[in-house]
Amino acid sequence: MTQTSPAAAPVQAAPPARRRRVHRAWFVAAVTFVTIIGAAAFRSLPGLLIDPLHQEFGWSRGTIGAAVSINLALYGLTAPFAAALMDRFGIRRVVAGALTVIAAGSGLTVWMTAAWQLWLCWGLLVGLGSGSMALAFAATVTNRWFTERRGLVSGILTAASASGQLIFLPVLSWLTEHHGWRPAAVTVALAALAVVPFVWILLRDHPADVGQKPYGATEFVPKPPPVTGAARRTLKVLSTSVRTGTFWLLAGTFAICGASTNGLIQTHFVPAEHDHGMPVTTAASLLAVIGVFDVAGTIASGWFTDRFEPRRLLAVYYALRGISLVFLPMLLGPAVHPPMLFFIVFYGLDWVATVPPTLALCRENYGEDSAIVFGWVLASHQVGAALVAYLGGLARDVFGSYDLVWYASGTLCAAAALMALVIRRTPTAALPAVS
């Protein structure tokens, strides 16, 4: 007994209250979640603008779709540079600046009179700002603040974008239908500005800033010095990663992901349903319901990613998405019916469920540069989205229907499922960290 009692003493010496205290990383994740929700307001608007802008200015759907394409492309192409800028100037400065640019771009559209102004404001400014608020932001926060539960956290932060769509889409559709598109654009600008104080006051760049270890870490991690040459580093990481087949498979599958979500459903679902006689507010509400189940699906995907092989998860997600798109043309109509509701629920669960396993594969293969590599993979996501946003509107102008676009996107998703199965299962040993 005299030998065992000293061994028990250290266990009782650790205060239980400290062990139960919520780690600061969860507060940072919460602020990041709210920030992405605020920034997601702008993503709810493009699909609602197509018909109002066509009616007011006489612009073709292809012309309006080109502005959305610029926005989506820059959303992706800016992301890897933004990840490097966060390493150089800190998360707070980059994100606060990005939200301000989004607000300026959306607000200035109120005074536009020509299509090039739409391309400049909504395409260039909002695209650059949103690109700095892309999923590379979530990846940077997850990599810095967490060593455990990374899949779950990345799923939660990814779901924030869907939550923003859920909150703002019904409001923006009501504003657009009853008061025109300009009040909706102003609402987006104000929503982005409202988040800036929260970012500046509450967000922290690194656990070392508050004297803590990353969540789940066994040792204290000092804050790394600012990384200079952000643009050079970003391009250097790209030049290294493109030499691996894994990068091209990840980029290819994620391009198809963007084509079948942001480029297709988010941009063209509302006008497609309106073509079949459904009121815009009803179609927008269905799109918002996708956002409800997107939250659940993405968080669940993060949980699955912590437990199952990511590439197999991707194959399942893309295969199911492709099947649902093939059946969509038969479900469109003037009223909501059970098969359409089933599609909405199903597609919502699968919407960005691909993000946690894709991010996990980037971490496994590219280590410290994974956030920047994921930024480039995200760029391919947005290039795919941009192409379909434009081609979808063009197909509607030429053929008078979206049917061809649904079938083509379903076929692409089947190809993405096959590509996911041949992604490397082991880390790419030949990739040193780029400095």
Side-chain angles (χ1 to χ4, degrees), residues 253-281:
T253 55
F254 224 41
I256 295 172
C257 177
S260 56
T261 53
N262 301 80
L264 182 64
I265 298 295
Q266 190 167 44
T267 303
H268 295 293
F269 178 79
V270 172
E273 277 285 30
H274 189 56
D275 284 347
H276 286 76
M278 181 176 287
V280 171
T281 51

Side-chain angles (χ1 to χ4, degrees), residues 198-284:
F198 292 96
V199 170
W200 196 255
I201 296 172
L202 300 176
L203 195 62
R204 292 294 180 269
D205 294 331
H206 196 276
D209 291 340
V210 291
Q212 288 192 340
K213 299 179 290 186
Y215 179 81
T218 57
E219 298 180 356
F220 182 82
V221 179
K223 183 177 181 178
V227 180
T228 58
R232 179 174 56 84
R233 182 189 176 205
T234 304
L235 294 174
K236 201 170 183 179
V237 169
L238 175 64
S239 68
T240 304
S241 60
V242 295
R243 300 171 192 169
T244 66
T246 299
F247 175 84
W248 291 107
L249 290 169
L250 288 170
T253 55
F254 224 41
I256 295 172
C257 177
S260 56
T261 53
N262 301 80
L264 182 64
I265 298 295
Q266 190 167 44
T267 303
H268 295 293
F269 178 79
V270 172
E273 277 285 30
H274 189 56
D275 284 347
H276 286 76
M278 181 176 287
V280 171
T281 51
T282 303

Side-chain angles (χ1 to χ4, degrees), residues 21 72 86 149 152 157 185-186 207 252-253 264 267 275-276 300 357:
R21 183 181 300 171
L72 292 173
M86 289 177 188
R149 304 289 188 269
L152 177 63
L157 295 182
V186 172
T253 55
L264 182 64
T267 303
D275 284 347
H276 286 76

Side-chain angles (χ1 to χ4, degrees), residues 1-10:
M1 295 296 294
T2 57
Q3 294 178 347
T4 57
S5 56

Side-chain angles (χ1 to χ4, degrees), residues 97-108:
L99 287 166
T100 304
V101 172
I102 290 172
S106 181
L108 288 173

